[in-house]
Amino acid sequence: MVKAVILGCTGYTGVELIRILATHPEMVVSGGASRQWAGRRASEAFPFFRGHCDFLISDMEDVLREPQADVAFLALPHGESASAIRPLLDAGVRVVDLSADCRLRDPDVYSEWYGPHKDPGIVDQAVYGLPEIHRDKIRDAQLVANPGCYPTSVILGLAPIMARQDLDTSNVIVDSKSGISGAGRAAKLITSFCESGESVKPYSVLRHRHIPEMEQELSGLTGRPVSVRFTPHLMPMSRGMVSTMYLRLKEDVTAESLREDYERRYGDEPFVAVLPDGHFPDTAHVRGSNMCQVAVTVDSRSGWAIVVSALDNLVKGASGLAVQNMNLMMGMPETAALDTLPVFP
Amino acid sequence: MVKAVILGCTGYTGVELIRILATHPEMVVSGGASRQWAGRRASEAFPFFRGHCDFLISDMEDVLREPQADVAFLALPHGESASAIRPLLDAGVRVVDLSADCRLRDPDVYSEWYGPHKDPGIVDQAVYGLPEIHRDKIRDAQLVANPGCYPTSVILGLAPIMARQDLDTSNVIVDSKSGISGAGRAAKLITSFCESGESVKPYSVLRHRHIPEMEQELSGLTGRPVSVRFTPHLMPMSRGMVSTMYLRLKEDVTAESLREDYERRYGDEPFVAVLPDGHFPDTAHVRGSNMCQVAVTVDSRSGWAIVVSALDNLVKGASGLAVQNMNLMMGMPETAALDTLPVFP
Amino acid sequence: MVKAVILGCTGYTGVELIRILATHPEMVVSGGASRQWAGRRASEAFPFFRGHCDFLISDMEDVLREPQADVAFLALPHGESASAIRPLLDAGVRVVDLSADCRLRDPDVYSEWYGPHKDPGIVDQAVYGLPEIHRDKIRDAQLVANPGCYPTSVILGLAPIMARQDLDTSNVIVDSKSGISGAGRAAKLITSFCESGESVKPYSVLRHRHIPEMEQELSGLTGRPVSVRFTPHLMPMSRGMVSTMYLRLKEDVTAESLREDYERRYGDEPFVAVLPDGHFPDTAHVRGSNMCQVAVTVDSRSGWAIVVSALDNLVKGASGLAVQNMNLMMGMPETAALDTLPVFP
Amino acid sequence: MVKAVILGCTGYTGVELIRILATHPEMVVSGGASRQWAGRRASEAFPFFRGHCDFLISDMEDVLREPQADVAFLALPHGESASAIRPLLDAGVRVVDLSADCRLRDPDVYSEWYGPHKDPGIVDQAVYGLPEIHRDKIRDAQLVANPGCYPTSVILGLAPIMARQDLDTSNVIVDSKSGISGAGRAAKLITSFCESGESVKPYSVLRHRHIPEMEQELSGLTGRPVSVRFTPHLMPMSRGMVSTMYLRLKEDVTAESLREDYERRYGDEPFVAVLPDGHFPDTAHVRGSNMCQVAVTVDSRSGWAIVVSALDNLVKGASGLAVQNMNLMMGMPETAALDTLPVFP
């Protein structure tokens, strides 16, 4: 069995990694680190781990000194990840970094949105971990930058349309809706039940840090600079993300032919489902699963295309995608531990 | 006291009318009609009415024959309203119709979206009941067409920007999020707790019946044809609606100057709050109240304006607005029974 | 207008007091204090206050030095209340204390459950503020101890049955379910959306501080010592509380005759509704209102009575009850500002 | 692979069976039947089935005539199950019946609570399918009656204490809280989002059909007649069930020694977790998993024991338990397809 260590094992993406890996036929969680819980058992942090995955939680520094694992998942805040990567790579450990630290290739863009990078030299070694776009590079990577949840939902939603020459790349509008778990596990007033239950609200309008990441990858896909108007909203639910995207096509195109583009592009993808005519994505249909649902249609009156994608922000938007990437990096079946149905309802 | 009768008193907008009117200093609910509950007391349908508003529920036909009221609120499905209006007007009763039957001035547009109209001649007598736009006409009206919840959130959000000459009226994008109560009280699978809890999903994409209503009123405001890309979504909450709107301005404008347009336009409005810089609307801050929150900003990179509005779909989006309209029609203070704070949390 | 000051005006009970008093015909909120928000406007803490109730938030100490109000509501944590009461009373201000500091008449019991009391001498001056039990004393009081939310739901549920001689007072079982707002507004992991949404769990089993309060008041009602098994649970909703109570009657009694006891006892009470046969309380039917719903039945196989009560923990369980008490203290109509229907749905 | 057919494959327990069996190493869903969806593909009913489990949905009658399966799960309403069992058994198919039709051994009790039984002769062949109680009999059974969700949560919670001689079996109080999915998938007003969101309410007080089932099994465990006061409540969540149970012990016992009884009884059980001192069950910690959490404590003031259990009503309370039973019946590892962590949050 391949041994995996999880740095940041008590946040939501860390716990989700443990849940997914618990059913992995070839990978096992051999340890985890957490500042807050170091020295205690995983089952003290989460009683439901007892009998399943009850390692002693380590100090971050101890793991970096002596990883005792073949692969590492970094479920850490940005900034903290950056300084953890090099020691792991030097010890021969393959790394999937779930933070933003290796996603942006331009260091100036990173520092503009996130502040100074703690190890800018590391970024060149990273592959952006969206298998549907960069599968082959991921297979050979030592270090993968796991995409942000919003960018994953947007890039998967838009990749097929990005290839079209008749697309107006200067006016891409993305309206996203996310469950609360995307905000992490730290107790905050805005994510308390009473403030976020029965509440829908936009946040970080025009300032969300996932904007440059989307634009980098969409520009890469289309070969032209892509500019995104992005508005994220918090929804009163724990898991799930819907992105509704509006794009203008300069030539007439039918919804059918556009849908065919999507079906052709994603026909062999195990984790992207293009929905048939008349069906639209629903977060309740992907909860707990690694699937991303996509639907596309065209407003024939105006020539605008409307694309909707839905995924579980903790699975395809974070930990499931990370396992998918690691499967590729380790030469394992890409769907190992991920080929499950959603928990419905 | 002015006597009000509610046709359709056991649906959500009917119940909300009763709740609001219970605190009205000059209007009293003297009766109500419901097909399903005729012949029983209001408190049998809703035990919490006991001691507050416990009239005997009438047959629809009995009310139309002998209204015994000064004013009538029609909280009926479209189609049913159309045939109820004329008998009430003939009896000298002022009518606020919460259905869609009198909202669309062009009968062909109505029949295209709703099917044949049961009394097309009535439409000319109706005033579109958005006081922030048509206050003076409402004062003189015998019949008011209460706007749809989505159109209200959109028109209030966009009225100030519609006056700008530099607006690109052909590319108005509206992404709306609604609580489940907007779908009415009839039991349906899609609005069951298990299917709509922890679920976010678009519906009626490009086909929602509120599209022609928005376009009619926005075109009226700007004097040019306005074309809307509209995507409504269901949110896992009972009440509340957020509309996020994207519009392109052809000239450079700052967020500050645009916000000033809004403040000037809405400065004296009792039920529209323009939020200060950095604040955005939140359905939790309008729940149970007649307030519509609006925020506006500009993406300086692209010249697109982003406008967000939030309201309670059952209050400002339906029954509260209906009372506001009736207050105006009856020469009462516009804010009577409506000047309340939200129920937070 | 009677001027009211609210100490602790930015917590949930403080905000709810402002919401309720905003519709009071004879009382007005003239000021409020908050440690965290002192020096800023109420609308900075809650944007929806703008135009309604936009006082400058004071330091606690400034208010105590110079109350500038006729009445004061203390929406403070226990301990903080105790030291604020005497200065207010000395300044001739009537006080309703929403904390636990004046509820327990025996100082030893207080210190056992809450720690040392900061001003034990004050307790004797307080009247326990449940009008359905102590209405006359409240009318004459300068200081009222507003009951806890659980005790209110339990005492109102049990008062009529407590009068029965055939009651086994040693085996009263109370199983309560509360919305999350009962835990207050401070950000805590246990009350975050992700940890409390889709979660039902007991807490403080056998250790909840409301136990001695229930036992004190129930013993007072029955004249014999009453011992309660109390288990509170957190429910995934913001507002609302249901208490399900199990009591053994030593003699045969029918549900009908027991319900008659309840109807007789509560027939004139404006804020207690005894539900008819076959109906049971529902938090959705009291949300935002000051009503407490009560139902009673008897298991004829065993002679146990089952009583269920429901209320809104922020209204009848806290701020609505506080206003009801203050209305009585000030000789105003008891239902002023409280005679409203629930916000349904 | 063992071929399984699911009768009633489009209800919540049917869908959950498909989800669980999709990861089973030795069992595969070869077909399903549904009145409403017969003749269409499973992915038409649930788009997320596409690519996973996309059989053609059969008529009920066709399956009974020619089962083409080794085992059958009956996820049917009571009454419908009864008439389906015999044809399946006659065809040599092993059956787990998730309805109530074979749970009650006394036909008079069945008809008192459910109406006339359609095939009373079948009941004798059934084993009550709670492996923690009847494991050996289940191994040999052709027909297993899968327990109700409430009885499972109660019996697992009480089995260890039922063995005690000092237990007062005449006063067992069970207060249960269930998620909405327990009410099934048919659209009903009471389970609509707006009526059940932000709502907690008891239902079927003293009349719930799971009462005789609990009493039958608890009496079997203790050898004396056990009489239960049972109050179920609906909670605003999709999945999850908590039962809080109150029992009187005639002798002094400490919480520690009682907990030891539980740990001894359940030490080797794969799907019952006895929580350590100070921890209590939480539905969020069992969601999507087959685990039942149990905690026990004693009120030393009164000698009452308090037991709390939590499970996912669709997994350990229905479909997971059904798979566990079938695993035993087929000689497969009992935990096959069930050894997963909860979906948290």
Side-chain angles (χ1 to χ4, degrees), chain A residues 277-292:
Chain A
D277 184 27
H279 285 73
F280 282 90
D282 183 342
T283 59
H285 290 180
V286 295
R287 183 168 46 234
S289 96
N290 199 48
M291 192 63 72
C292 176

Side-chain angles (χ1 to χ4, degrees), chain A residues 93-272:
Chain A
V93 177
R94 306 252 181 140
V95 174
V96 172
D97 176 18
L98 284 82
S99 89
D101 284 350
C102 299
R103 292 176 194 160
L104 297 175
R105 271 190 293 277
D106 183 334
D108 292 344
V109 173
Y110 181 92
S111 52
E112 182 191 338
W113 292 82
Y114 290 94
H117 199 290
K118 297 214 175 118
D119 186 359
I122 207 77
V123 179
D124 277 349
Q125 303 182 37
V127 172
Y128 189 78
L130 207 48
E132 291 79 3
I133 313 292
H134 301 294
R135 183 169 283 117
D136 288 339
K137 285 190 189 158
I138 295 165
R139 281 194 224 275
D140 298 329
Q142 303 294 315
L143 169 62
V144 159
N146 214 56
C149 49
Y150 287 118
T152 297
S153 79
V154 170
I155 299 165
L156 291 180
L158 296 185
I161 209 172
M162 282 291 135
R164 295 183 65 98
Q165 289 306 313
D166 62 341
L167 181 71
D168 172 3
T169 54
S170 62
N171 290 310
V172 175
I173 290 168
V174 175
D175 191 285
S176 294
K177 299 94 183 159
S178 173
I180 312 288
S181 63
R185 196 165 183 240
K188 280 170 282 191
L189 185 57
I190 196 183
T191 56
S192 73
F193 189 92
C194 290
E195 309 271 324
S196 56
E198 286 275 310
S199 161
V200 167
K201 53 179 165 267
Y203 71 103
S204 296
V205 179
L206 298 175
R207 304 184 290 107
H208 197 283
R209 284 161 161 169
H210 286 173
I211 293 174
E213 185 181 337
M214 290 178 202
E215 295 187 342
Q216 164 185 293
E217 292 300 310
L218 294 177
S219 300
L221 282 169
T222 191
R224 291 172 286 165
V226 174
S227 172
V228 174
R229 318 281 84 72
F230 174 60
T231 315
H233 300 74
L234 275 185
M235 303 287 111
M237 62 183 186
S238 287
R239 288 172 177 243
M241 171 170 290
V242 165
S243 289
T244 312
M245 296 162 276
Y246 304 84
L247 303 98
R248 204 168 53 171
L249 298 172
K250 293 171 183 162
E251 292 168 22
D252 274 6
V253 60
T254 64
E256 290 66 36
S257 78
L258 203 52
R259 192 176 308 113
E260 279 165 24
D261 287 358
Y262 274 72
E263 283 164 354
R264 205 174 313 117
R265 179 71 171 77
Y266 288 137
D268 293 329
E269 285 299 338
F271 298 122
V272 183

Side-chain angles (χ1 to χ4, degrees), chain A residues 171 198 229 238 299 304, chain B residues 171 198 229 238 246 299 304:
Chain A
N171 290 310
E198 286 275 310
R229 318 281 84 72
S238 287
D299 179 21
W304 282 73
Chain B
N171 290 310
E198 286 275 310
R229 315 282 85 70
S238 288
Y246 304 84
D299 178 21
W304 282 74

